[in-house]
Amino acid sequence: MTPAATTTSGRDLPHPERAEIRLESVLHALSDPMRLQIVRELAAEDRELSCSDFVLPVTKSTTTHHFRVLRESGVVRQVYRGTAKLNGLRSDDLDALFPGLLDRILAAADRQAERA
Amino acid sequence: MTPAATTTSGRDLPHPERAEIRLESVLHALSDPMRLQIVRELAAEDRELSCSDFVLPVTKSTTTHHFRVLRESGVVRQVYRGTAKLNGLRSDDLDALFPGLLDRILAAADRQAERA
DNA sequence: GGACTCGTACGATAAACCTCGTAGTACGGC
DNA sequence: GCCGTACTACGAGGTTTATCGTACGAGTCC
């Protein structure tokens, strides 16, 4: 049973392998304001965040949808922990594939936010 | 009349000001394979290219559409020269707004192309 | 077990998007 | 003036997308 601190169990969700991640999909995932916001918050905190940590101006269904797009494009990794689902940026994979890309996009987003 | 080499005249097309360029729109513009390809070719040649210089697997109407998306998002600048329409990357504007972003995206696209 | 929380699944709707074809405009060369 | 080239405009078709609401499943705590 290997008792863990919390029930890290639960189904695991389908993620693309590192090699399957497509640049176009990543850019598309990040081109939505809601999802870009999610990724920015994830990058700001360097810990994993649960979906409910985000206060977005949309319903829960919609939030789920956006997280799935992010997961299926390879931007975030999601794991269940008990009733929550933790989200973490796949910075390592993205950086291996597209060095520096994520950083620049995040920097660009910060700049734009400041300018506003 | 100030005769120019060629008739650089013709209507000028609506472009967003530098300050109006939105990161989300840029990412969205580049998330389409056709448009990413266009931008890569534009970056490879450092001269301005006319629309007809691109051999894309779509009709001319569709090509026009993609160029408009690129123009309206602020990625390219288009000017008429006679019957042709020249396209140039707005690297200066993009770099001023989002330093290094375009380079990284292009590098990422190159990497991905090599990997394929 | 029962209630509560967190997130999913499914269906629906309206908007956006990519694609095309046809018809039309602007410019240049004969 | 006439024709060809380069690109646009408009409308249509089919797909994807973002959003919602409701109903459901998995896990935790009492």
Side-chain angles (χ1 to χ4, degrees):
Chain A
M1 292 231 189
T2 41
T6 12
T7 325
T8 315
S9 78
R11 314 207 80 59
D12 36 78
L13 301 144
H15 288 80
E17 296 290 325
R18 175 185 288 191
E20 291 169 350
I21 298 179
R22 302 280 308 163
L23 175 60
E24 293 89 336
S25 307
V26 172
L27 294 181
H28 173 247
L30 297 178
S31 73
D32 181 277
M34 216 67 72
R35 291 192 292 259
L36 184 55
Q37 182 57 31
I38 292 175
V39 170
R40 292 185 66 209
E41 290 189 29
L42 270 178
E45 312 271 331
D46 61 347
R47 63 197 178 87
E48 299 194 312
L49 295 174
S50 84
C51 295
S52 52
D53 287 335
F54 297 85
V55 221
L56 300 170
V58 289
T59 63
K60 265 197 305 183
S61 324
T62 307
T63 305
T64 298
H65 160 69
H66 284 308
F67 273 107
R68 181 170 50 194
V69 174
L70 286 171
R71 186 187 70 238
E72 290 178 348
S73 65
V75 176
V76 307
R77 190 175 296 279
Q78 300 189 295
V79 226
Y80 282 105
R81 193 188 55 182
T83 164
K85 194 165 67 171
L86 291 191
N87 299 276
L89 273 182
R90 292 180 67 176
S91 323
D92 47 345
D93 289 322
L94 291 175
D95 243 48
L97 288 169
F98 314 124
L101 179 66
L102 186 58
D103 274 358
R104 292 295 168 157
I105 294 180
L106 288 170
D110 285 349
R111 274 228 176 185
Q112 180 170 271
E114 285 165 17
R115 230 172 36 234
Chain B
M1 296 240 188
T2 42
T6 14
T7 326
T8 316
S9 77
R11 313 207 78 61
D12 36 77
L13 300 144
H15 288 80
E17 296 290 325
R18 174 185 289 190
E20 291 169 351
I21 298 179
R22 300 283 306 165
L23 175 60
E24 294 89 336
S25 307
V26 172
L27 296 179
H28 173 248
L30 298 177
S31 73
D32 181 278
M34 215 68 71
R35 291 192 292 259
L36 185 56
Q37 182 57 30
I38 292 176
V39 170
R40 292 184 66 208
E41 291 188 27
L42 270 178
E45 313 270 332
D46 61 347
R47 62 196 178 88
E48 299 196 311
L49 295 174
S50 84
C51 294
S52 51
D53 287 336
F54 297 84
V55 222
L56 301 170
V58 289
T59 64
K60 266 199 298 182
S61 324
T62 307
T63 305
T64 298
H65 161 68
H66 285 308
F67 273 107
R68 183 171 46 194
V69 174
L70 286 171
R71 186 187 70 238
E72 290 178 346
S73 64
V75 176
V76 306
R77 189 174 298 277
Q78 300 188 295
V79 228
Y80 282 105
R81 195 189 54 182
T83 164
K85 194 164 69 171
L86 292 190
N87 298 276
L89 272 182
R90 293 181 66 175
S91 323
D92 46 346
D93 289 322
L94 292 175
D95 243 47
L97 287 169
F98 314 124
L101 178 67
L102 186 57
D103 275 358
R104 293 295 170 157
I105 295 180
L106 288 170
D110 285 350
R111 273 228 175 185
Q112 181 170 271
E114 285 165 17
R115 230 169 40 231

